[in-house]
Amino acid sequence: MPELDTPQSLPEADLNALEARLRDATTLIADLKARDELKTQFLSNISHDLRTPLTAIITHAEILRDGMLGPVTDRQLDSLHGIINGGRQLLGMVSEILTYARGAANQMALDCVPVRVDDLLRLARELNEPLCARKGVTFQVDMSDDVPIVEADREKLTHVLSNLIGNAIAFTPPGGRVWVHAQPWTTDSHREVRFEVGDTGIGIAPENHKLIFMEFAQVDSSPSRRHHGTGLGLTIARRFVELHGGRLWVESELGSGSRFYFTVPAERTG
């Protein structure tokens, strides 16, 4: 068997060429890293800059809606509701971009405290039942009796639940069902709580299960798509769950609804 060339056995010209290619590759990697950092900083800056005028637009529209500057007609009220709803949707998208930028810059940190799961589910019910009722979707929330308290960042955990429930409602047609369930879960001697957010909506083809968790990715990216967003919601949700030491995954087939699961460690007892 012929011996492979080593750096010591290569001709000097070939060795110099390899060293030059290595330097070029190192320079390219450094340049790409710098560009990525600039992109992250741009996203953070533009998100901050957009939040202020958007908040002002929503606030002034609400002042008009509430009649604080005089009476408005029904047609004007309809337009104001459109401005407010559209503004809030945009503000939510800007907030997602800002959250993503902070995560990309490693600026995310957890503020973990003992959290009662029933409190989280009660809040989820209060926030989402009215929306489901307007859309004609049944919303169910239940929890096993023996679910322990979790050690978590309440705000980030609420964000994960809100994102998954919001997606479930958006992709479930009238007459469908959305549910949230929590139960104790044990893996490798670790006590956790497993959350399930399911729906009877359009479902996700198995080949797209990885895609939906990728940054900025959407299953339907066409200009005519019915559901719009940044493509960051599930990326952020998975990041929040992983920061807690849990994991988030999906089980779904096209036309058969979706079930998203995620785990959160139980409160330490010793």
Side-chain angles (χ1 to χ4, degrees):
M1 179 179 294
E3 293 185 2
L4 295 176
D5 288 334
T6 64
Q8 291 79 11
S9 63
L10 285 172
E12 185 175 353
D14 291 344
L15 184 58
N16 290 338
L18 282 174
E19 291 176 345
R21 290 172 62 184
L22 179 59
R23 287 194 298 269
D24 291 342
T26 302
T27 301
L28 178 60
I29 291 171
D31 182 59
L32 291 173
K33 183 178 179 180
R35 288 172 181 268
D36 188 62
E37 290 173 353
L38 286 173
K39 177 205 69 177
T40 299
Q41 188 60 51
F42 168 77
L43 289 174
S44 180
N45 291 342
I46 198 66
S47 298
H48 277 295
D49 292 343
L50 287 173
R51 284 174 64 91
T52 299
L54 275 174
T55 302
I57 291 170
I58 295 169
T59 300
H60 285 289
E62 289 174 337
I63 289 172
L64 291 171
R65 177 202 62 190
D66 295 340
M68 297 175 66
L69 299 180
V72 294
T73 67
D74 289 341
R75 290 183 64 186
Q76 290 170 335
L77 192 60
D78 287 341
S79 293
L80 289 170
H81 282 307
I83 293 171
I84 293 168
N85 291 336
R88 287 175 176 169
Q89 183 179 6
L90 283 173
L91 193 59
M93 293 168 67
V94 169
S95 296
E96 278 193 347
I97 295 172
L98 181 58
T99 301
Y100 165 78
R102 287 172 175 166
N106 295 319
Q107 294 176 355
M108 283 187 187
L110 295 180
D111 182 16
C112 289
V113 296
V115 178
R116 290 178 57 93
V117 174
D118 56 341
D119 289 342
L120 292 175
L121 298 188
R122 186 181 304 111
L123 178 61
R125 184 190 297 276
E126 292 173 355
L127 292 176
N128 293 284
E129 267 190 341
L131 177 59
C132 285
R134 288 196 298 270
K135 190 175 181 182
V137 172
T138 301
F139 186 62
Q140 299 172 324
V141 176
D142 65 280
M143 181 181 83
S144 301
D145 294 333
D146 52 350
V147 169
I149 292 174
V150 296
E151 187 169 339
D153 185 310
R154 182 185 299 273
E155 180 181 347
K156 290 180 174 59
L157 194 53
T158 300
H159 181 102
V160 173
L161 272 173
S162 297
N163 176 268
L164 297 179
I165 295 171
N167 285 347
I169 296 171
F171 289 98
T172 300
R177 184 168 62 96
V178 173
W179 65 89
V180 183
H181 178 65
Q183 66 181 101
W185 199 252
T186 302
T187 56
D188 299 330
S189 301
H190 296 294
R191 296 176 68 244
E192 300 176 322
V193 174
R194 190 185 77 166
F195 294 84
E196 175 187 350
V197 179
D199 64 71
T200 59
I202 61 176
I204 306 164
E207 62 266 25
N208 290 323
H209 286 186
K210 290 184 179 180
L211 174 67
I212 61 174
F213 291 104
M214 295 175 62
E215 300 168 354
F216 304 106
Q218 296 184 349
V219 173
D220 182 4
S221 58
S222 65
S224 60
R225 67 186 185 274
R226 292 180 56 192
H227 303 282
H228 297 268
T230 61
L232 291 171
L234 288 174
T235 302
I236 294 169
R238 172 172 276 185
R239 176 61 174 156
F240 282 171
V241 170
E242 290 176 347
L243 282 173
H244 282 87
R247 67 187 189 98
L248 188 158
W249 71 99
V250 63
E251 295 178 1
S252 180
E253 292 184 6
L254 200 60
S256 300
S258 301
R259 291 154 303 284
F260 284 85
Y261 302 91
F262 68 94
T263 58
V264 179
E267 183 184 21
R268 296 184 178 89
T269 57

